[in-house]
């Protein structure tokens, strides 16, 4: 059964060596190794950096989050990296994705990132989640990528996670 926890550096170390090939490729396009990409959120001390881990029986199978921009903590780069182990629970995971996106984007006004144009599965998923895509052609390290973004509207303050999906270590953000 899948559940979500706030990420720890240990989750990053566990998942880094088990990423999907597509995710390794995207990370390499950004000029990073899988471990560098997954550990990066823990190196930022500014507000607006949030990272979560999807676990299956205690084993990290995916990590996701947002890293705020240095000049505006309400804008950030959204990301999601996973292993093939998530596939066995993909239907269960996908059904909950929209609610989790609402939760983890509730602190932001605008999020963005890029995806290789040949990663059609991810592009379909992002469109289903309500992300928009730029028509402008972008090439990164010789690969055509699509810039995607989302303006966040209508999410109320102090939204809480999906209670049935959080793990045993989760603590609330509200006082």
């Amino acid at each position: 059964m899948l559940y979500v926890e706030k990420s720890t550096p240990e989750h990053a170390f566990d998942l880094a060596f088990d990423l999907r090939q597509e995710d390794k490729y995207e990370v390499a396009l950004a000029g990073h190794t899988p471990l560098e990409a997954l550990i990066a959120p823990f190196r930022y001390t500014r507000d607006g950096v949030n990272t979560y881990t999807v676990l299956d029986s205690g084993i990290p199978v995916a990590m996701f989050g947002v890293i705020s921009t240095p000049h505006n903590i309400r804008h950030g780069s959204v990301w999601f990296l996973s292993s093939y182990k998530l596939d066995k629970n993909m239907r269960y995971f996908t059904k909950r994705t929209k609610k989790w996106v609402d939760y983890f984007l509730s602190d932001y006004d605008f999020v963005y990132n890029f995806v290789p144009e040949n990663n059609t599965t991810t592009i379909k998923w992002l469109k289903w989640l309500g992300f928009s895509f730029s028509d402008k052609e972008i090439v990164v390290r010789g690969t055509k990528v699509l810039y995607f973004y989302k303006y966040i509207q209508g999410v109320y303050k102090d939204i809480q996670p999906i209670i049935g999906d959080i793990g045993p270590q989760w603590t609330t953000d509200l006082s």
Side-chain angles (χ1 to χ4, degrees):
M1 180 67 86
L2 298 180
Y3 61 94
V4 177
E5 292 283 1
K6 293 177 184 175
S7 294
T8 66
E10 291 78 21
H11 295 155
F13 281 94
D14 290 345
L15 183 59
F17 302 100
D18 199 26
L19 284 187
R20 301 170 181 268
Q21 278 305 121
E22 305 94 298
D23 288 351
K24 288 179 186 177
Y25 183 69
E26 285 186 33
V27 165
L29 281 177
H32 301 290
T33 66
L35 183 56
E36 288 171 340
L38 290 168
I39 208 73
F42 301 102
R43 295 183 173 169
Y44 292 98
T45 56
R46 65 178 173 262
D47 289 336
V49 178
N50 297 303
T51 307
Y52 305 93
T53 302
V54 179
L55 297 110
D56 185 357
S57 303
I59 298 169
V61 295
M63 289 176 68
F64 61 96
V66 182
I67 297 176
S68 62
T69 63
H71 56 279
N72 186 342
I73 64 168
R74 303 279 300 165
H75 294 183
S77 177
V78 63
W79 59 276
F80 177 88
L81 299 169
S82 68
S83 78
Y84 292 110
K85 292 175 184 168
L86 182 62
D87 291 352
K88 73 177 185 172
N89 292 300
M90 190 54 76
R91 187 177 193 129
Y92 179 86
F93 171 78
T94 303
K95 287 169 76 173
R96 286 156 174 76
T97 302
K98 283 188 179 184
K99 288 182 181 178
W100 274 102
V101 168
D102 283 347
Y103 171 72
F104 87 89
L105 295 183
S106 64
D107 292 333
Y108 304 91
D109 295 327
F110 178 78
V111 294
Y112 61 90
N113 209 329
F114 67 86
V115 60
E117 77 169 353
N118 64 350
N119 195 338
T120 55
T121 302
T122 298
I123 292 166
K124 282 174 47 178
W125 179 60
L126 289 166
K127 285 180 179 179
W128 179 72
L129 290 172
F131 285 87
S132 299
F133 288 80
S134 171
D135 292 334
K136 184 178 178 185
E137 184 172 311
I138 302 172
V139 177
V140 175
R141 300 181 195 270
T143 299
K144 194 170 177 182
V145 298
L146 301 175
Y147 175 81
F148 65 91
Y149 59 94
K150 186 172 189 172
Y151 289 98
I152 314 304
Q153 299 174 12
V155 178
Y156 60 91
K157 188 170 175 57
D158 296 332
I159 187 172
Q160 285 295 289
I162 306 164
I163 299 301
D165 291 347
I166 60 174
Q169 304 301 314
W170 189 280
T171 58
T172 184
D173 294 329
L174 297 178
S175 49

